[in-house]
């Protein structure tokens, strides 16, 4: 009877005479809605529902039950059924329930599409971010990935500079080629040169064989020069030559070898400052800085924090076998407001530690390290105090900024005034006003 009725309303219908038979056809038929009786021989409606859910099938289930069997219908709703119709029913009632279910179906579909859209938007290769600053970086990477032009990635430690370098490589048409990373700060100066450029047999005592350097290894791909700020001055000269000639010379060799590599360099230092201090060659700096990408500190893009937290929790659940669901509001707030001097790496480690220490499936404030519980950002602290006076709040924040500027410039007031973008005179006045003269 239902089949005839529903066909008349243009539904595509399959019928089954038992729960088992229904389950057997679910995969091939793929119903959007399952209309089932509660009481049936062997597998009842509730078991059918449970089995569907266990199979990750999220078809909308509507149960039919006879008057006097209402508590069964309620059970079914609790177990995730969408609706119920009471028997005996008028044709309209069933059609109405199906129309409602259809609405839910299309909402569900829209939701799913939206969720996929969002996760696509917030993920770029292995970089997860939704802040506008990082979205700009995603766009820049996509735009410049295909060129061979040298890229300089800057930013504090742990912000994801290496991930940016890898994304540049993965988005490059040359991605079939190798990605070779070398940490210029971790290799002793006397080995670094032969590491980078290779050597000829006999070039030095231990050189018993010809050896290719990393530039040659990276041919056709990307050479990632990490911590370029640590490169000794003597090698800076050689690197500049390589970048200009696109060829290298192995140690102890007389001939040049053409190399075809994309150079991505990274540093947590302010290279312009390093050039001023004479620790980094200016000509190399300009040669490297053709396409700069600055990855902002995590505290400058707090929008990314919740996304990263959820990502690390999920990843660790898989890796550590934990079953953490999330954080309570207080813990979430602490993580959101903390200043993260170690950036994403510090967040990553903090989450892992909390998941291991955590005694329930929810991370709470006491699972977090003391520095995070105590050291709340004073600016945030002031802003969350409930104080609404612009005057009072500005004074507190102004004092904090002046302290920071003086700390950063080691007490140099002229430089501090520049950073603060106020006049030297105004700074002297404020130092007196806030009693900061000892700084
Ligand atoms: N946006 C992000 N999404 C996912 N993981 C991230 C993100 N940013 C950083 N990470 C993770 O944080 C850690 C640090 O990132 P990475 O090594 O790229 O930082 P870095 O800037 O090179 O740091 P350092 O200057 O200390 O070398 C890595 O484990 C990386 O996977
Ligand atoms: Mg790094």
């Amino acid at each position: 009877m239902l089949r005839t009725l529903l066909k008349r309303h243009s539904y595509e219908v399959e019928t089954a005479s038992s729960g088992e038979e229904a389950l057997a056809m679910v995969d091939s038929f793929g119903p959007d809605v399952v209309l089932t009786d509660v009481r049936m021989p062997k597998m009842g409606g509730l078991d059918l529902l449970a089995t569907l859910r266990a199979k990750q099938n999220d078809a909308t289930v509507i149960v039919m039950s006879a008057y006097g069997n209402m508590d069964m219908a309620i059970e079914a709703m609790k177990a995730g059924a969408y609706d119920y119709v009471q028997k005996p029913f008028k044709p309209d009632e069933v059609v109405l329930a199906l129309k409602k279910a259809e609405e839910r179906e299309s909402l569900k579909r829209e939701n799913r599409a939206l969720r996929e859209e969002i996760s696509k938007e917030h993920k770029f290769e292995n970089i997860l971010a939704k802040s506008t600053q990082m979205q700009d970086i995603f766009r820049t990477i996509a735009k410049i990935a295909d060129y061979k032009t040298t890229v300089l990635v800057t930013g504090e430690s742990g912000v994801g500079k290496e991930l940016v370098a890898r994304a540049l490589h993965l988005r490059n048409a040359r991605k079939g080629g190798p990605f070779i990373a070398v940490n210029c700060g971790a290799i002793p100066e006397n080995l670094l040169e032969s590491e980078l450029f290779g050597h000829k047999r006999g070039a030095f005592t231990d050189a018993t064989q010809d050896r290719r350097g990393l530039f040659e290894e990276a041919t056709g791909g990307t050479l990632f020069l990490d911590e370029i700020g640590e490169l000794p001055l003597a090698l800076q000269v050689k690197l500049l030559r390589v970048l200009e000639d696109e060829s290298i010379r192995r140690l102890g060799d007389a001939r040049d070898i053409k190399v075809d590599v994309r150079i991505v360099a990274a540093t947590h230092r302010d290279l312009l400052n390093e050039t001023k201090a004479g620790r980094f060659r200016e000509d190399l700096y300009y040669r490297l800085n053709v396409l700069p990408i600055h990855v902002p500190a995590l505290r400058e893009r707090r929008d990314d924090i919740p996304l990263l937290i959820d990502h690390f929790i999920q990843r660790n659940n898989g890796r550590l076998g934990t079953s953490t669901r999330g954080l309570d509001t207080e813990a979430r707030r602490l993580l959101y407001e903390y200043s993260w001097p170690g950036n994403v790496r510090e967040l990553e480690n903090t989450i892992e530690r909390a998941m291991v220490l955590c005694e329930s499936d929810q991370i709470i404030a006491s699972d977090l390290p003391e520095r995070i519980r105590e050291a709340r950002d004073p600016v945030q602290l002031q802003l969350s105090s409930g104080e609404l006076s612009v005057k009072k709040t500005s004074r507190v924040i102004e004092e904090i900024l002046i302290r920071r500027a003086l700390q950063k410039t080691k007490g140099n007031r002229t430089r501090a005034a520049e950073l603060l973008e106020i006049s030297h005179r105004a700074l002297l006045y404020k130092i007196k006003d806030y009693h900061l003269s000892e700084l």
Side-chain angles (χ1 to χ4, degrees):
M1 183 209 84
L2 275 171
R3 187 218 293 268
T4 318
L5 168 72
L6 296 178
K7 284 219 154 153
R8 210 182 304 137
H9 281 87
S10 312
Y11 286 101
E12 201 183 325
V13 187
E14 283 288 344
T15 57
S17 51
S18 69
E20 290 84 349
E21 205 183 312
L23 271 181
M25 64 173 55
V26 153
D27 288 333
S28 53
F29 181 56
D32 291 324
V33 181
V34 174
L35 202 57
T36 176
D37 215 329
V38 180
R39 264 189 213 282
M40 293 183 288
K42 286 197 282 186
M43 178 179 275
L46 286 180
D47 288 340
L48 175 60
L49 177 61
T51 316
L52 282 174
R53 294 295 180 255
K55 287 172 60 139
Q56 310 275 322
N57 183 306
D58 64 349
T60 301
V61 175
I62 300 177
V63 295
M64 305 178 283
S65 77
Y67 181 76
N69 243 338
M70 281 311 288
D71 33 339
M72 284 286 249
I74 290 163
E75 273 313 297
M77 300 282 285
K78 277 194 202 142
Y82 173 66
D83 203 355
Y84 66 87
V85 272
Q86 209 179 90
K87 293 194 293 190
F89 45 76
K90 298 194 193 79
D92 281 355
E93 289 178 65
V94 181
V95 175
L96 203 67
L98 279 171
K99 284 267 175 283
K100 266 202 319 191
E102 262 177 274
E103 249 163 57
R104 170 178 185 257
E105 267 305 309
S106 72
L107 273 181
K108 232 173 26 186
R109 243 175 248 140
E110 231 167 75
N111 244 331
R112 208 177 299 141
L114 219 60
R115 222 180 306 133
E116 271 162 25
E117 200 49 46
I118 289 171
S119 61
K120 237 185 283 157
E121 239 172 68
H122 295 165
K123 189 165 181 191
F124 189 91
E125 300 301 337
N126 284 323
I127 314 173
L128 274 160
K130 64 185 276 200
S131 61
T132 48
Q133 298 99 305
M134 290 302 288
Q135 296 286 320
D136 283 345
I137 290 181
F138 290 176
R139 267 190 295 278
T140 307
I141 295 175
K143 221 182 299 169
I144 68 178
D146 267 337
Y147 300 96
K148 237 177 83 179
T149 313
T150 303
V151 180
L152 178 63
V153 188
T154 56
E156 289 180 9
S157 183
V159 286
K161 296 187 291 295
E162 181 152 357
L163 288 186
V164 168
R166 284 184 191 275
L168 276 163
H169 176 68
L170 292 168
R171 284 292 163 123
N172 187 290
R174 310 147 65 87
K175 70 178 168 198
F179 178 90
I180 307 268
V182 50
N183 186 332
C184 303
I187 302 173
E189 180 166 354
N190 58 336
L191 295 182
L192 189 56
E193 182 170 6
S194 95
E195 198 62 36
L196 287 174
F197 307 123
H199 57 245
K200 266 202 86 70
R201 182 177 155 192
F204 47 89
T205 329
D206 293 335
T208 53
Q209 271 178 334
D210 286 5
R211 182 158 180 268
R212 279 151 49 99
L214 295 174
F215 267 91
E216 281 176 78
E217 299 282 344
T219 289
T222 306
L223 180 62
F224 176 47
L225 298 173
D226 204 0
E227 307 300 356
I228 190 84
E230 320 304 305
L231 196 68
L233 278 164
L235 281 178
Q236 291 178 22
V237 185
K238 294 192 174 162
L239 177 62
L240 180 65
R241 223 208 71 206
V242 171
L243 293 178
E244 293 190 326
D245 301 351
E246 296 193 38
S247 66
I248 55 122
R249 184 178 295 183
R250 293 182 186 174
L251 251 91
D253 202 349
R255 73 201 157 101
D256 290 333
I257 304 170
K258 276 266 161 228
V259 283
D260 171 34
V261 282
R262 207 265 172 91
I263 305 290
V264 179
T267 178
H268 67 277
R269 291 188 190 278
D270 179 349
L271 278 195
L272 194 57
N273 253 346
E274 295 294 292
T275 61
K276 285 181 190 144
R279 285 187 294 265
F280 204 83
R281 290 184 63 102
E282 206 174 347
D283 46 10
L284 179 59
Y285 168 69
Y286 287 112
R287 185 65 191 72
L288 289 173
N289 199 35
V290 191
L291 291 174
I293 294 184
H294 178 71
V295 188
L298 190 57
R299 67 184 160 280
E300 290 161 16
R301 47 177 169 108
R302 293 189 200 267
D303 282 356
D304 291 340
I305 294 175
L307 185 75
L308 288 166
I309 292 176
D310 292 342
H311 164 69
F312 291 137
I313 289 181
Q314 271 174 33
R315 205 190 53 189
N316 286 342
N317 276 338
R319 214 163 52 92
L320 307 174
T322 43
S323 51
T324 305
R325 273 188 308 113
L327 296 87
D328 74 353
T329 327
E330 169 72 357
R332 228 171 230 284
R333 194 176 52 82
L334 286 170
L335 293 189
Y336 187 81
E337 288 175 1
Y338 181 59
S339 58
W340 299 112
N343 294 291
V344 184
R345 182 179 295 111
E346 188 184 5
L347 175 62
E348 193 174 7
N349 296 336
T350 302
I351 297 289
E352 175 164 346
R353 175 183 181 279
M355 287 174 74
V356 171
L357 291 180
C358 175
E359 283 172 355
S360 73
D361 57 359
Q362 199 175 40
I363 295 171
I364 57 175
S366 61
D367 299 324
L368 300 174
E370 200 173 295
R371 66 175 191 287
I372 294 177
R373 277 180 287 135
E374 312 279 288
R376 295 185 49 196
D377 184 335
V379 176
Q380 291 290 337
L381 199 64
Q382 174 62 26
L383 288 176
S384 58
S385 70
E387 175 64 66
L388 289 177
S389 156
V390 172
K391 204 166 162 194
K392 282 186 197 149
T393 307
S394 307
R395 274 185 67 84
V396 175
I397 292 178
E398 189 172 66
E399 185 185 333
I400 294 165
L401 295 177
I402 293 172
R403 278 180 188 278
R404 281 188 189 163
L406 287 169
Q407 251 160 25
K408 190 159 184 179
T409 61
K410 304 199 170 64
N412 180 334
R413 296 174 177 188
T414 312
R415 281 280 300 129
E418 278 168 28
L419 291 177
L420 292 160
E421 298 190 341
I422 59 176
S423 72
H424 188 247
R425 271 177 55 128
L427 178 61
L428 295 186
Y429 169 77
K430 285 170 197 294
I431 286 177
K432 232 168 116 188
D433 188 22
Y434 293 125
H435 307 288
L436 299 176
S437 50
E438 75 283 4
L439 285 177

